[in-house]
Amino acid sequence: EAGVVQSPRYKIIEKKQPVAFWCNPISGHNTLYWYRQNLGQGPELLIRYENEEAVDDSQLPKDRFSAERLKGVDSTLKIQPAELGDSAVYLCASSRGLAASTDTQYFGPGTRLTVL
Amino acid sequence: SQQGEEDPQALSIQEGENATMNCSYKTSINNLQWYRQNSGRGLVHLILIRSNEREKHSGRLRVTLDTSKKSSSLLITASRAADTASYFCATDWVDTDKLIFGTGTRLQVFP
C-alpha cells in the first residue's frame, strides 16, 4: 500500500510570509497527526484528527498556525505569518484509528521548512 | 520539556557489534514504543512494549522495560551498516492519548 504522502519536501521562505503543507494519509486511516521536529530533537505533536475532527490541538500555536482536514482525508497545515523559529521538519502521520497510544503511526517523509 | 531522555546521544560501533540505547521517562505510562529515523526519511515504528511486559523481541531487536526505574533499553544485535539511523523512544503517559517522543540516540554503524 502507498505510504503517507507529503508535499512539498522542502520549502524556503522569508519571515512573515505564509506557508502551507499538504498531507495525504494512508487509505483507510481515520487518524491523522501533524508533528514538528526541531533539529536534534524528537517530534512534538501539533494536532491530531479523528476523521475530520481535531481532537487534540493543545500544542498548536493558534495565533499563527491553522490546520484543516476536509472530508476526513487530506490535511493542510498552514503558518501565517512564519517566524524564524518555525524552521523545522513538519511530519504528517496516520493510523487506523484505534487509541493513539497503541495504534501504530505511519509517518510521511516530512517537509523541511527554512525561514530566512 | 515533556520529552523523555535517551542516552547515549550518539553511538558509533562496527558492523557485527551490538548496540544498546536507553530511554528514561518521567511519569507512569501505558506503553513505550521505539521508532527509527534514517537520514532524510520519515520515522518507522519498530516495536511496542506494554507497561505489564518486561521484555520483547523482534528479529534482531530486544526491548526491555523497567517501570520501577521508569526506563527502557533497545538492543540491536549483530548490527549492520543499514542500522545507521536515529532511534527514538515514545511513551504513552497514563491519562493521555498521545505519544511523547524522546530526544533520540544517533547510531552510526561502520562497515
Side-chain angles (χ1 to χ4, degrees):
Chain A
E1 63 182 1
V4 176
V5 179
Q6 290 187 248
S7 69
R9 291 293 309 276
Y10 304 91
K11 189 73 175 179
I12 301 174
I13 61 172
E14 293 188 346
K15 63 181 181 183
K16 300 184 182 180
Q17 295 299 306
V19 64
F21 314 123
W22 175 80
C23 173
N24 178 239
I26 292 173
S27 177
H29 281 194
N30 297 324
T31 306
L32 184 145
Y33 312 78
W34 283 103
Y35 288 87
R36 177 170 58 191
Q37 185 175 21
N38 292 313
L39 187 65
Q41 300 293 314
E44 294 184 317
L45 180 69
L46 292 173
I47 189 168
R48 173 166 67 98
Y49 283 93
E50 297 289 345
N51 297 304
E52 65 272 13
E53 181 183 359
V55 296
D56 184 354
D57 63 356
S58 57
Q59 300 287 89
L60 189 72
K62 298 181 182 63
D63 57 336
R64 297 183 301 107
F65 285 65
S66 65
E68 61 181 8
R69 190 182 184 197
L70 299 177
K71 300 181 181 178
V73 182
D74 295 359
S75 178
T76 302
L77 177 69
K78 298 179 181 178
I79 308 175
Q80 183 170 9
E83 297 178 352
L84 296 177
D86 296 331
S87 294
V89 176
Y90 291 83
L91 295 167
C92 179
S94 69
S95 65
R96 296 187 191 283
L98 305 175
S101 57
T102 55
D103 206 7
T104 297
Q105 296 184 29
Y106 297 83
F107 284 80
T111 296
R112 182 177 297 277
L113 173 67
T114 301
V115 182
L116 302 176
Chain B
S1 169
Q2 289 184 302
Q3 293 181 337
E5 297 290 329
E6 278 135 314
D7 82 277
Q9 290 186 340
L11 178 62
S12 295
I13 59 174
Q14 295 290 132
E15 261 191 334
E17 295 181 338
N18 295 341
T20 299
M21 51 205 85
N22 304 294
C23 168
S24 60
Y25 54 92
K26 299 176 182 177
T27 188
S28 297
I29 63 172
N30 292 317
N31 65 67
L32 184 146
Q33 303 183 34
W34 285 90
Y35 283 77
R36 179 185 67 209
Q37 185 174 39
N38 293 322
S39 177
R41 297 182 61 185
L43 284 104
V44 174
H45 179 263
L46 295 177
I47 196 166
L48 179 152
I49 186 166
R50 299 183 188 279
S51 60
N52 61 354
E53 297 176 310
R54 292 296 169 258
E55 186 171 314
K56 203 162 183 179
H57 297 255
S58 176
R60 294 183 296 112
L61 306 180
R62 173 177 169 256
V63 170
T64 62
L65 179 64
D66 186 336
T67 53
S68 66
K69 295 181 179 179
K70 293 186 171 58
S71 67
S72 173
S73 67
L74 171 66
L75 168 68
I76 304 174
T77 60
S79 63
R80 307 166 181 168
D83 294 328
T84 294
S86 290
Y87 292 82
F88 295 90
C89 68
T91 50
D92 156 42
W93 294 4
V94 171
D95 295 331
T96 70
D97 191 24
K98 66 173 95 177
L99 289 183
I100 308 297
F101 284 82
T103 52
T105 292
R106 294 184 302 280
L107 173 66
Q108 176 79 50
V109 182
F110 292 98

